[in-house]
Amino acid sequence: SRSLGCRTGMERMTLFVHSSTISPTCQSCLLLVAESKLPVKIKVLAYDEGERFSKDFLKLNPYHCVPTLKQEDGFVIWESHTVMRYLCDYFSDSSKEPSLIIKTCYPSNIKARARVNQLLDYRHCKLYPSILKATMPFLGYEAPVSQQVAESTRKQLHEELERFSSVYLREEGKYAGGFHHPTIADFSIVPALGFTTVLKGYELPKRIQAYIKDFTKNVASYEEINKGFILKTKQLALAIEKRLSHKSQLSDD
């Protein structure tokens, strides 16, 4: 366990996350906590040991998913976007001395906030499923697919990324929705795009490459938090590649 942040005098909170680094949803909440220096205790659940299925954790969250946030008064929520929104609302209270990051990453202006919420819904309902469909077979989380299917899902993903770029990254701001500063939507979208690194020979649209570059440059904690994700995806992709290669050699013999 570790605590990020330095503020005191507020209700204590614990954020439960995976020990496995290959979780964009956990990354998004960790980024918010780290960038805003929130006084939130991080509790890592051992992924390989199935700690999230323990009786104690199931009492907190019957859906055994992470991230899960627990407050000392017994209040518990899960779903990464809900956790981020709650943290922003809780710490944006003026009596709690909100940081500049908290003020800007989930704006109080009703129209700006609606745009961020729209982006979060889009990420969850459209973009992320497209990313997972194209990448999960290369990480071993879904059964291997034929080259024809792989090419088809990659094409569909690229089309969706081009649409995302033209619709949400077309305005003056560097970040999704035309904002000039990162929002919690970016905290969720950028880590999810990391899965595309397992698609050999694939290049993200130029505008999205620039978007990720700006995000990495201006969100100081991202590079460190993302290290484990990049390493884990490479390890899993290599393991699947070797397994398929070995299987192919056996079938040729």
Side-chain angles (χ1 to χ4, degrees), residues 158-182:
H158 186 74
E159 290 172 352
E160 186 53 50
L161 291 172
E162 289 282 12
R163 188 180 298 116
F164 167 66
S165 180
S166 65
V167 173
Y168 290 114
L169 298 177
R170 71 184 182 197
E171 300 175 43
E172 288 184 8
K174 294 179 179 179
Y175 302 101
F179 290 97
H180 293 279
H181 46 74

mmCIF file with all atom_site columns, all heavy atoms in Angstrom, residues 158-182:
data_model
loop_
_atom_site.group_PDB
_atom_site.id
_atom_site.type_symbol
_atom_site.label_atom_id
_atom_site.label_alt_id
_atom_site.label_comp_id
_atom_site.label_asym_id
_atom_site.label_entity_id
_atom_site.label_seq_id
_atom_site.pdbx_PDB_ins_code
_atom_site.Cartn_x
_atom_site.Cartn_y
_atom_site.Cartn_z
_atom_site.occupancy
_atom_site.B_iso_or_equiv
_atom_site.pdbx_formal_charge
_atom_site.auth_seq_id
_atom_site.auth_comp_id
_atom_site.auth_asym_id
_atom_site.auth_atom_id
_atom_site.pdbx_PDB_model_num
ATOM 1   N N   . HIS A 1 158 ? -8.932  1.221  -37.099 1.00 0.00 ? 158 HIS A N   1
ATOM 2   C CA  . HIS A 1 158 ? -8.323  2.395  -37.718 1.00 0.00 ? 158 HIS A CA  1
ATOM 3   C C   . HIS A 1 158 ? -9.393  3.386  -38.160 1.00 0.00 ? 158 HIS A C   1
ATOM 4   O O   . HIS A 1 158 ? -9.223  4.608  -37.987 1.00 0.00 ? 158 HIS A O   1
ATOM 5   C CB  . HIS A 1 158 ? -7.469  1.976  -38.923 1.00 0.00 ? 158 HIS A CB  1
ATOM 6   C CG  . HIS A 1 158 ? -6.707  3.118  -39.513 1.00 0.00 ? 158 HIS A CG  1
ATOM 7   N ND1 . HIS A 1 158 ? -5.598  3.684  -38.913 1.00 0.00 ? 158 HIS A ND1 1
ATOM 8   C CD2 . HIS A 1 158 ? -6.918  3.839  -40.660 1.00 0.00 ? 158 HIS A CD2 1
ATOM 9   C CE1 . HIS A 1 158 ? -5.146  4.677  -39.647 1.00 0.00 ? 158 HIS A CE1 1
ATOM 10  N NE2 . HIS A 1 158 ? -5.934  4.796  -40.711 1.00 0.00 ? 158 HIS A NE2 1
ATOM 11  N N   . GLU A 1 159 ? -10.473 2.887  -38.710 1.00 0.00 ? 159 GLU A N   1
ATOM 12  C CA  . GLU A 1 159 ? -11.563 3.765  -39.132 1.00 0.00 ? 159 GLU A CA  1
ATOM 13  C C   . GLU A 1 159 ? -12.152 4.513  -37.935 1.00 0.00 ? 159 GLU A C   1
ATOM 14  O O   . GLU A 1 159 ? -12.466 5.704  -38.035 1.00 0.00 ? 159 GLU A O   1
ATOM 15  C CB  . GLU A 1 159 ? -12.659 2.951  -39.835 1.00 0.00 ? 159 GLU A CB  1
ATOM 16  C CG  . GLU A 1 159 ? -12.228 2.428  -41.201 1.00 0.00 ? 159 GLU A CG  1
ATOM 17  C CD  . GLU A 1 159 ? -13.246 1.462  -41.801 1.00 0.00 ? 159 GLU A CD  1
ATOM 18  O OE1 . GLU A 1 159 ? -14.205 1.079  -41.079 1.00 0.00 ? 159 GLU A OE1 1
ATOM 19  O OE2 . GLU A 1 159 ? -13.076 1.084  -42.974 1.00 0.00 ? 159 GLU A OE2 1
ATOM 20  N N   . GLU A 1 160 ? -12.282 3.801  -36.792 1.00 0.00 ? 160 GLU A N   1
ATOM 21  C CA  . GLU A 1 160 ? -12.816 4.446  -35.595 1.00 0.00 ? 160 GLU A CA  1
ATOM 22  C C   . GLU A 1 160 ? -11.847 5.490  -35.049 1.00 0.00 ? 160 GLU A C   1
ATOM 23  O O   . GLU A 1 160 ? -12.258 6.561  -34.587 1.00 0.00 ? 160 GLU A O   1
ATOM 24  C CB  . GLU A 1 160 ? -13.144 3.409  -34.524 1.00 0.00 ? 160 GLU A CB  1
ATOM 25  C CG  . GLU A 1 160 ? -13.848 3.989  -33.307 1.00 0.00 ? 160 GLU A CG  1
ATOM 26  C CD  . GLU A 1 160 ? -15.087 4.778  -33.704 1.00 0.00 ? 160 GLU A CD  1
ATOM 27  O OE1 . GLU A 1 160 ? -15.917 4.252  -34.486 1.00 0.00 ? 160 GLU A OE1 1
ATOM 28  O OE2 . GLU A 1 160 ? -15.219 5.932  -33.257 1.00 0.00 ? 160 GLU A OE2 1
ATOM 29  N N   . LEU A 1 161 ? -10.558 5.187  -35.111 1.00 0.00 ? 161 LEU A N   1
ATOM 30  C CA  . LEU A 1 161 ? -9.557  6.148  -34.649 1.00 0.00 ? 161 LEU A CA  1
ATOM 31  C C   . LEU A 1 161 ? -9.511  7.388  -35.546 1.00 0.00 ? 161 LEU A C   1
ATOM 32  O O   . LEU A 1 161 ? -9.316  8.504  -35.055 1.00 0.00 ? 161 LEU A O   1
ATOM 33  C CB  . LEU A 1 161 ? -8.180  5.476  -34.585 1.00 0.00 ? 161 LEU A CB  1
ATOM 34  C CG  . LEU A 1 161 ? -8.016  4.418  -33.485 1.00 0.00 ? 161 LEU A CG  1
ATOM 35  C CD1 . LEU A 1 161 ? -6.688  3.698  -33.636 1.00 0.00 ? 161 LEU A CD1 1
ATOM 36  C CD2 . LEU A 1 161 ? -8.122  5.049  -32.103 1.00 0.00 ? 161 LEU A CD2 1
ATOM 37  N N   . GLU A 1 162 ? -9.687  7.180  -36.820 1.00 0.00 ? 162 GLU A N   1
ATOM 38  C CA  . GLU A 1 162 ? -9.747  8.323  -37.746 1.00 0.00 ? 162 GLU A CA  1
ATOM 39  C C   . GLU A 1 162 ? -10.973 9.183  -37.430 1.00 0.00 ? 162 GLU A C   1
ATOM 40  O O   . GLU A 1 162 ? -10.917 10.415 -37.458 1.00 0.00 ? 162 GLU A O   1
ATOM 41  C CB  . GLU A 1 162 ? -9.815  7.832  -39.195 1.00 0.00 ? 162 GLU A CB  1
ATOM 42  C CG  . GLU A 1 162 ? -8.524  7.219  -39.719 1.00 0.00 ? 162 GLU A CG  1
ATOM 43  C CD  . GLU A 1 162 ? -7.487  8.281  -40.091 1.00 0.00 ? 162 GLU A CD  1
ATOM 44  O OE1 . GLU A 1 162 ? -7.662  9.465  -39.748 1.00 0.00 ? 162 GLU A OE1 1
ATOM 45  O OE2 . GLU A 1 162 ? -6.489  7.904  -40.739 1.00 0.00 ? 162 GLU A OE2 1
ATOM 46  N N   . ARG A 1 163 ? -12.084 8.508  -37.117 1.00 0.00 ? 163 ARG A N   1
ATOM 47  C CA  . ARG A 1 163 ? -13.302 9.242  -36.764 1.00 0.00 ? 163 ARG A CA  1
ATOM 48  C C   . ARG A 1 163 ? -13.105 10.012 -35.455 1.00 0.00 ? 163 ARG A C   1
ATOM 49  O O   . ARG A 1 163 ? -13.487 11.175 -35.339 1.00 0.00 ? 163 ARG A O   1
ATOM 50  C CB  . ARG A 1 163 ? -14.476 8.264  -36.633 1.00 0.00 ? 163 ARG A CB  1
ATOM 51  C CG  . ARG A 1 163 ? -15.822 8.939  -36.452 1.00 0.00 ? 163 ARG A CG  1
ATOM 52  C CD  . ARG A 1 163 ? -16.952 7.934  -36.331 1.00 0.00 ? 163 ARG A CD  1
ATOM 53  N NE  . ARG A 1 163 ? -17.075 7.126  -37.534 1.00 0.00 ? 163 ARG A NE  1
ATOM 54  C CZ  . ARG A 1 163 ? -16.869 5.808  -37.576 1.00 0.00 ? 163 ARG A CZ  1
ATOM 55  N NH1 . ARG A 1 163 ? -16.523 5.156  -36.485 1.00 0.00 ? 163 ARG A NH1 1
ATOM 56  N NH2 . ARG A 1 163 ? -17.007 5.147  -38.695 1.00 0.00 ? 163 ARG A NH2 1
ATOM 57  N N   . PHE A 1 164 ? -12.492 9.357  -34.478 1.00 0.00 ? 164 PHE A N   1
ATOM 58  C CA  . PHE A 1 164 ? -12.193 10.014 -33.204 1.00 0.00 ? 164 PHE A CA  1
ATOM 59  C C   . PHE A 1 164 ? -11.330 11.250 -33.434 1.00 0.00 ? 164 PHE A C   1
ATOM 60  O O   . PHE A 1 164 ? -11.574 12.328 -32.873 1.00 0.00 ? 164 PHE A O   1
ATOM 61  C CB  . PHE A 1 164 ? -11.475 9.033  -32.275 1.00 0.00 ? 164 PHE A CB  1
ATOM 62  C CG  . PHE A 1 164 ? -10.832 9.662  -31.063 1.00 0.00 ? 164 PHE A CG  1
ATOM 63  C CD1 . PHE A 1 164 ? -11.604 10.256 -30.075 1.00 0.00 ? 164 PHE A CD1 1
ATOM 64  C CD2 . PHE A 1 164 ? -9.449  9.662  -30.916 1.00 0.00 ? 164 PHE A CD2 1
ATOM 65  C CE1 . PHE A 1 164 ? -11.021 10.850 -28.957 1.00 0.00 ? 164 PHE A CE1 1
ATOM 66  C CE2 . PHE A 1 164 ? -8.850  10.248 -29.805 1.00 0.00 ? 164 PHE A CE2 1
ATOM 67  C CZ  . PHE A 1 164 ? -9.639  10.845 -28.826 1.00 0.00 ? 164 PHE A CZ  1
ATOM 68  N N   . SER A 1 165 ? -10.331 11.090 -34.286 1.00 0.00 ? 165 SER A N   1
ATOM 69  C CA  . SER A 1 165 ? -9.418  12.189 -34.582 1.00 0.00 ? 165 SER A CA  1
ATOM 70  C C   . SER A 1 165 ? -10.143 13.359 -35.240 1.00 0.00 ? 165 SER A C   1
ATOM 71  O O   . SER A 1 165 ? -9.941  14.522 -34.879 1.00 0.00 ? 165 SER A O   1
ATOM 72  C CB  . SER A 1 165 ? -8.292  11.689 -35.493 1.00 0.00 ? 165 SER A CB  1
ATOM 73  O OG  . SER A 1 165 ? -7.385  12.711 -35.797 1.00 0.00 ? 165 SER A OG  1
ATOM 74  N N   . SER A 1 166 ? -11.006 13.058 -36.203 1.00 0.00 ? 166 SER A N   1
ATOM 75  C CA  . SER A 1 166 ? -11.682 14.125 -36.954 1.00 0.00 ? 166 SER A CA  1
ATOM 76  C C   . SER A 1 166 ? -12.793 14.789 -36.153 1.00 0.00 ? 166 SER A C   1
ATOM 77  O O   . SER A 1 166 ? -13.083 15.975 -36.347 1.00 0.00 ? 166 SER A O   1
ATOM 78  C CB  . SER A 1 166 ? -12.249 13.568 -38.264 1.00 0.00 ? 166 SER A CB  1
ATOM 79  O OG  . SER A 1 166 ? -13.261 12.607 -38.007 1.00 0.00 ? 166 SER A OG  1
ATOM 80  N N   . VAL A 1 167 ? -13.399 14.047 -35.239 1.00 0.00 ? 167 VAL A N   1
ATOM 81  C CA  . VAL A 1 167 ? -14.517 14.592 -34.469 1.00 0.00 ? 167 VAL A CA  1
ATOM 82  C C   . VAL A 1 167 ? -14.062 15.258 -33.175 1.00 0.00 ? 167 VAL A C   1
ATOM 83  O O   . VAL A 1 167 ? -14.461 16.380 -32.853 1.00 0.00 ? 167 VAL A O   1
ATOM 84  C CB  . VAL A 1 167 ? -15.554 13.495 -34.145 1.00 0.00 ? 167 VAL A CB  1
ATOM 85  C CG1 . VAL A 1 167 ? -16.636 14.026 -33.190 1.00 0.00 ? 167 VAL A CG1 1
ATOM 86  C CG2 . VAL A 1 167 ? -16.183 12.963 -35.422 1.00 0.00 ? 167 VAL A CG2 1
ATOM 87  N N   . TYR A 1 168 ? -13.190 14.585 -32.428 1.00 0.00 ? 168 TYR A N   1
ATOM 88  C CA  . TYR A 1 168 ? -12.844 15.045 -31.083 1.00 0.00 ? 168 TYR A CA  1
ATOM 89  C C   . TYR A 1 168 ? -11.482 15.747 -30.976 1.00 0.00 ? 168 TYR A C   1
ATOM 90  O O   . TYR A 1 168 ? -11.195 16.378 -29.963 1.00 0.00 ? 168 TYR A O   1
ATOM 91  C CB  . TYR A 1 168 ? -12.886 13.877 -30.102 1.00 0.00 ? 168 TYR A CB  1
ATOM 92  C CG  . TYR A 1 168 ? -14.285 13.371 -29.817 1.00 0.00 ? 168 TYR A CG  1
ATOM 93  C CD1 . TYR A 1 168 ? -14.672 12.090 -30.218 1.00 0.00 ? 168 TYR A CD1 1
ATOM 94  C CD2 . TYR A 1 168 ? -15.217 14.170 -29.175 1.00 0.00 ? 168 TYR A CD2 1
ATOM 95  C CE1 . TYR A 1 168 ? -15.959 11.632 -29.959 1.00 0.00 ? 168 TYR A CE1 1
ATOM 96  C CE2 . TYR A 1 168 ? -16.499 13.724 -28.916 1.00 0.00 ? 168 TYR A CE2 1
ATOM 97  C CZ  . TYR A 1 168 ? -16.866 12.442 -29.310 1.00 0.00 ? 168 TYR A CZ  1
ATOM 98  O OH  . TYR A 1 168 ? -18.141 11.993 -29.053 1.00 0.00 ? 168 TYR A OH  1
ATOM 99  N N   . LEU A 1 169 ? -10.658 15.604 -32.008 1.00 0.00 ? 169 LEU A N   1
ATOM 100 C CA  . LEU A 1 169 ? -9.341  16.243 -31.949 1.00 0.00 ? 169 LEU A CA  1
ATOM 101 C C   . LEU A 1 169 ? -9.179  17.304 -33.035 1.00 0.00 ? 169 LEU A C   1
ATOM 102 O O   . LEU A 1 169 ? -8.074  17.702 -33.360 1.00 0.00 ? 169 LEU A O   1
ATOM 103 C CB  . LEU A 1 169 ? -8.229  15.188 -32.109 1.00 0.00 ? 169 LEU A CB  1
ATOM 104 C CG  . LEU A 1 169 ? -8.153  14.108 -31.026 1.00 0.00 ? 169 LEU A CG  1
ATOM 105 C CD1 . LEU A 1 169 ? -7.060  13.101 -31.370 1.00 0.00 ? 169 LEU A CD1 1
ATOM 106 C CD2 . LEU A 1 169 ? -7.891  14.722 -29.653 1.00 0.00 ? 169 LEU A CD2 1
ATOM 107 N N   . ARG A 1 170 ? -10.269 17.766 -33.575 1.00 0.00 ? 170 ARG A N   1
ATOM 108 C CA  . ARG A 1 170 ? -10.201 18.691 -34.716 1.00 0.00 ? 170 ARG A CA  1
ATOM 109 C C   . ARG A 1 170 ? -10.083 20.148 -34.292 1.00 0.00 ? 170 ARG A C   1
ATOM 110 O O   . ARG A 1 170 ? -9.733  21.003 -35.089 1.00 0.00 ? 170 ARG A O   1
ATOM 111 C CB  . ARG A 1 170 ? -11.437 18.513 -35.590 1.00 0.00 ? 170 ARG A CB  1
ATOM 112 C CG  . ARG A 1 170 ? -12.709 19.029 -34.946 1.00 0.00 ? 170 ARG A CG  1
ATOM 113 C CD  . ARG A 1 170 ? -13.938 18.759 -35.781 1.00 0.00 ? 170 ARG A CD  1
ATOM 114 N NE  . ARG A 1 170 ? -15.133 19.305 -35.141 1.00 0.00 ? 170 ARG A NE  1
ATOM 115 C CZ  . ARG A 1 170 ? -16.364 18.945 -35.462 1.00 0.00 ? 170 ARG A CZ  1
ATOM 116 N NH1 . ARG A 1 170 ? -16.559 18.044 -36.403 1.00 0.00 ? 170 ARG A NH1 1
ATOM 117 N NH2 . ARG A 1 170 ? -17.398 19.481 -34.848 1.00 0.00 ? 170 ARG A NH2 1
ATOM 118 N N   . GLU A 1 171 ? -10.410 20.428 -33.031 1.00 0.00 ? 171 GLU A N   1
ATOM 119 C CA  . GLU A 1 171 ? -10.424 21.815 -32.583 1.00 0.00 ? 171 GLU A CA  1
ATOM 120 C C   . GLU A 1 171 ? -9.038  22.284 -32.155 1.00 0.00 ? 171 GLU A C   1
ATOM 121 O O   . GLU A 1 171 ? -8.078  21.526 -32.168 1.00 0.00 ? 171 GLU A O   1
ATOM 122 C CB  . GLU A 1 171 ? -11.447 21.970 -31.453 1.00 0.00 ? 171 GLU A CB  1
ATOM 123 C CG  . GLU A 1 171 ? -12.869 21.606 -31.907 1.00 0.00 ? 171 GLU A CG  1
ATOM 124 C CD  . GLU A 1 171 ? -13.876 21.646 -30.773 1.00 0.00 ? 171 GLU A CD  1
ATOM 125 O OE1 . GLU A 1 171 ? -13.828 22.594 -29.971 1.00 0.00 ? 171 GLU A OE1 1
ATOM 126 O OE2 . GLU A 1 171 ? -14.701 20.726 -30.699 1.00 0.00 ? 171 GLU A OE2 1
ATOM 127 N N   . GLU A 1 172 ? -8.946  23.538 -31.744 1.00 0.00 ? 172 GLU A N   1
ATOM 128 C CA  . GLU A 1 172 ? -7.653  24.152 -31.449 1.00 0.00 ? 172 GLU A CA  1
ATOM 129 C C   . GLU A 1 172 ? -6.918  23.503 -30.283 1.00 0.00 ? 172 GLU A C   1
ATOM 130 O O   . GLU A 1 172 ? -5.701  23.392 -30.275 1.00 0.00 ? 172 GLU A O   1
ATOM 131 C CB  . GLU A 1 172 ? -7.846  25.646 -31.162 1.00 0.00 ? 172 GLU A CB  1
ATOM 132 C CG  . GLU A 1 172 ? -8.190  26.454 -32.406 1.00 0.00 ? 172 GLU A CG  1
ATOM 133 C CD  . GLU A 1 172 ? -8.276  27.938 -32.086 1.00 0.00 ? 172 GLU A CD  1
ATOM 134 O OE1 . GLU A 1 172 ? -7.921  28.326 -30.970 1.00 0.00 ? 172 GLU A OE1 1
ATOM 135 O OE2 . GLU A 1 172 ? -8.706  28.702 -32.967 1.00 0.00 ? 172 GLU A OE2 1
ATOM 136 N N   . GLY A 1 173 ? -7.646  23.096 -29.253 1.00 0.00 ? 173 GLY A N   1
ATOM 137 C CA  . GLY A 1 173 ? -7.012  22.532 -28.073 1.00 0.00 ? 173 GLY A CA  1
ATOM 138 C C   . GLY A 1 173 ? -6.243  21.267 -28.376 1.00 0.00 ? 173 GLY A C   1
ATOM 139 O O   . GLY A 1 173 ? -6.554  20.534 -29.318 1.00 0.00 ? 173 GLY A O   1
ATOM 140 N N   . LYS A 1 174 ? -5.229  20.999 -27.581 1.00 0.00 ? 174 LYS A N   1
ATOM 141 C CA  . LYS A 1 174 ? -4.397  19.813 -27.792 1.00 0.00 ? 174 LYS A CA  1
ATOM 142 C C   . LYS A 1 174 ? -5.096  18.523 -27.398 1.00 0.00 ? 174 LYS A C   1
ATOM 143 O O   . LYS A 1 174 ? -4.721  17.440 -27.831 1.00 0.00 ? 174 LYS A O   1
ATOM 144 C CB  . LYS A 1 174 ? -3.117  19.938 -26.964 1.00 0.00 ? 174 LYS A CB  1
ATOM 145 C CG  . LYS A 1 174 ? -2.181  21.060 -27.382 1.00 0.00 ? 174 LYS A CG  1
ATOM 146 C CD  . LYS A 1 174 ? -0.964  21.078 -26.470 1.00 0.00 ? 174 LYS A CD  1
ATOM 147 C CE  . LYS A 1 174 ? 0.002   22.174 -26.869 1.00 0.00 ? 174 LYS A CE  1
ATOM 148 N NZ  . LYS A 1 174 ? 1.181   22.215 -25.977 1.00 0.00 ? 174 LYS A NZ  1
ATOM 149 N N   . TYR A 1 175 ? -6.123  18.645 -26.551 1.00 0.00 ? 175 TYR A N   1
ATOM 150 C CA  . TYR A 1 175 ? -6.703  17.455 -25.942 1.00 0.00 ? 175 TYR A CA  1
ATOM 151 C C   . TYR A 1 175 ? -8.112  17.168 -26.464 1.00 0.00 ? 175 TYR A C   1
ATOM 152 O O   . TYR A 1 175 ? -8.729  17.995 -27.136 1.00 0.00 ? 175 TYR A O   1
ATOM 153 C CB  . TYR A 1 175 ? -6.685  17.601 -24.421 1.00 0.00 ? 175 TYR A CB  1
ATOM 154 C CG  . TYR A 1 175 ? -5.271  17.806 -23.928 1.00 0.00 ? 175 TYR A CG  1
ATOM 155 C CD1 . TYR A 1 175 ? -4.807  19.080 -23.592 1.00 0.00 ? 175 TYR A CD1 1
ATOM 156 C CD2 . TYR A 1 175 ? -4.365  16.751 -23.886 1.00 0.00 ? 175 TYR A CD2 1
ATOM 157 C CE1 . TYR A 1 175 ? -3.488  19.281 -23.194 1.00 0.00 ? 175 TYR A CE1 1
ATOM 158 C CE2 . TYR A 1 175 ? -3.058  16.937 -23.492 1.00 0.00 ? 175 TYR A CE2 1
ATOM 159 C CZ  . TYR A 1 175 ? -2.617  18.197 -23.149 1.00 0.00 ? 175 TYR A CZ  1
ATOM 160 O OH  . TYR A 1 175 ? -1.313  18.383 -22.782 1.00 0.00 ? 175 TYR A OH  1
ATOM 161 N N   . ALA A 1 176 ? -8.602  15.986 -26.162 1.00 0.00 ? 176 ALA A N   1
ATOM 162 C CA  . ALA A 1 176 ? -9.899  15.541 -26.675 1.00 0.00 ? 176 ALA A CA  1
ATOM 163 C C   . ALA A 1 176 ? -11.000 16.528 -26.308 1.00 0.00 ? 176 ALA A C   1
ATOM 164 O O   . ALA A 1 176 ? -11.056 17.020 -25.181 1.00 0.00 ? 176 ALA A O   1
ATOM 165 C CB  . ALA A 1 176 ? -10.223 14.150 -26.125 1.00 0.00 ? 176 ALA A CB  1
ATOM 166 N N   . GLY A 1 177 ? -11.841 16.820 -27.277 1.00 0.00 ? 177 GLY A N   1
ATOM 167 C CA  . GLY A 1 177 ? -12.933 17.756 -27.050 1.00 0.00 ? 177 GLY A CA  1
ATOM 168 C C   . GLY A 1 177 ? -12.551 19.204 -27.228 1.00 0.00 ? 177 GLY A C   1
ATOM 169 O O   . GLY A 1 177 ? -13.349 20.103 -26.980 1.00 0.00 ? 177 GLY A O   1
ATOM 170 N N   . GLY A 1 178 ? -11.314 19.462 -27.644 1.00 0.00 ? 178 GLY A N   1
ATOM 171 C CA  . GLY A 1 178 ? -10.875 20.831 -27.870 1.00 0.00 ? 178 GLY A CA  1
ATOM 172 C C   . GLY A 1 178 ? -10.369 21.550 -26.636 1.00 0.00 ? 178 GLY A C   1
ATOM 173 O O   . GLY A 1 178 ? -10.152 22.765 -26.670 1.00 0.00 ? 178 GLY A O   1
ATOM 174 N N   . PHE A 1 179 ? -10.156 20.801 -25.546 1.00 0.00 ? 179 PHE A N   1
ATOM 175 C CA  . PHE A 1 179 ? -9.658  21.431 -24.318 1.00 0.00 ? 179 PHE A CA  1
ATOM 176 C C   . PHE A 1 179 ? -8.166  21.749 -24.442 1.00 0.00 ? 179 PHE A C   1
ATOM 177 O O   . PHE A 1 179 ? -7.427  21.063 -25.151 1.00 0.00 ? 179 PHE A O   1
ATOM 178 C CB  . PHE A 1 179 ? -9.894  20.513 -23.115 1.00 0.00 ? 179 PHE A CB  1
ATOM 179 C CG  . PHE A 1 179 ? -11.346 20.365 -22.740 1.00 0.00 ? 179 PHE A CG  1
ATOM 180 C CD1 . PHE A 1 179 ? -12.089 19.282 -23.190 1.00 0.00 ? 179 PHE A CD1 1
ATOM 181 C CD2 . PHE A 1 179 ? -11.978 21.328 -21.964 1.00 0.00 ? 179 PHE A CD2 1
ATOM 182 C CE1 . PHE A 1 179 ? -13.434 19.145 -22.861 1.00 0.00 ? 179 PHE A CE1 1
ATOM 183 C CE2 . PHE A 1 179 ? -13.312 21.209 -21.622 1.00 0.00 ? 179 PHE A CE2 1
ATOM 184 C CZ  . PHE A 1 179 ? -14.045 20.114 -22.078 1.00 0.00 ? 179 PHE A CZ  1
ATOM 185 N N   . HIS A 1 180 ? -7.734  22.758 -23.710 1.00 0.00 ? 180 HIS A N   1
ATOM 186 C CA  . HIS A 1 180 ? -6.335  23.171 -23.727 1.00 0.00 ? 180 HIS A CA  1
ATOM 187 C C   . HIS A 1 180 ? -5.545  22.542 -22.585 1.00 0.00 ? 180 HIS A C   1
ATOM 188 O O   . HIS A 1 180 ? -4.361  22.838 -22.408 1.00 0.00 ? 180 HIS A O   1
ATOM 189 C CB  . HIS A 1 180 ? -6.230  24.698 -23.649 1.00 0.00 ? 180 HIS A CB  1
ATOM 190 C CG  . HIS A 1 180 ? -6.763  25.385 -24.871 1.00 0.00 ? 180 HIS A CG  1
ATOM 191 N ND1 . HIS A 1 180 ? -6.030  25.520 -26.035 1.00 0.00 ? 180 HIS A ND1 1
ATOM 192 C CD2 . HIS A 1 180 ? -7.980  25.933 -25.124 1.00 0.00 ? 180 HIS A CD2 1
ATOM 193 C CE1 . HIS A 1 180 ? -6.761  26.135 -26.952 1.00 0.00 ? 180 HIS A CE1 1
ATOM 194 N NE2 . HIS A 1 180 ? -7.947  26.403 -26.417 1.00 0.00 ? 180 HIS A NE2 1
ATOM 195 N N   . HIS A 1 181 ? -6.196  21.706 -21.822 1.00 0.00 ? 181 HIS A N   1
ATOM 196 C CA  . HIS A 1 181 ? -5.562  21.018 -20.698 1.00 0.00 ? 181 HIS A CA  1
ATOM 197 C C   . HIS A 1 181 ? -6.158  19.612 -20.612 1.00 0.00 ? 181 HIS A C   1
ATOM 198 O O   . HIS A 1 181 ? -7.287  19.386 -21.063 1.00 0.00 ? 181 HIS A O   1
ATOM 199 C CB  . HIS A 1 181 ? -5.821  21.793 -19.400 1.00 0.00 ? 181 HIS A CB  1
ATOM 200 C CG  . HIS A 1 181 ? -7.259  22.226 -19.250 1.00 0.00 ? 181 HIS A CG  1
ATOM 201 N ND1 . HIS A 1 181 ? -8.272  21.354 -18.924 1.00 0.00 ? 181 HIS A ND1 1
ATOM 202 C CD2 . HIS A 1 181 ? -7.845  23.430 -19.443 1.00 0.00 ? 181 HIS A CD2 1
ATOM 203 C CE1 . HIS A 1 181 ? -9.423  21.994 -18.901 1.00 0.00 ? 181 HIS A CE1 1
ATOM 204 N NE2 . HIS A 1 181 ? -9.203  23.261 -19.225 1.00 0.00 ? 181 HIS A NE2 1
ATOM 205 N N   . PRO A 1 182 ? -5.434  18.663 -20.060 1.00 0.00 ? 182 PRO A N   1
ATOM 206 C CA  . PRO A 1 182 ? -5.975  17.302 -19.960 1.00 0.00 ? 182 PRO A CA  1
ATOM 207 C C   . PRO A 1 182 ? -7.192  17.251 -19.039 1.00 0.00 ? 182 PRO A C   1
ATOM 208 O O   . PRO A 1 182 ? -7.243  17.943 -18.019 1.00 0.00 ? 182 PRO A O   1
ATOM 209 C CB  . PRO A 1 182 ? -4.810  16.499 -19.361 1.00 0.00 ? 182 PRO A CB  1
ATOM 210 C CG  . PRO A 1 182 ? -3.595  17.337 -19.566 1.00 0.00 ? 182 PRO A CG  1
ATOM 211 C CD  . PRO A 1 182 ? -4.066  18.757 -19.526 1.00 0.00 ? 182 PRO A CD  1
#
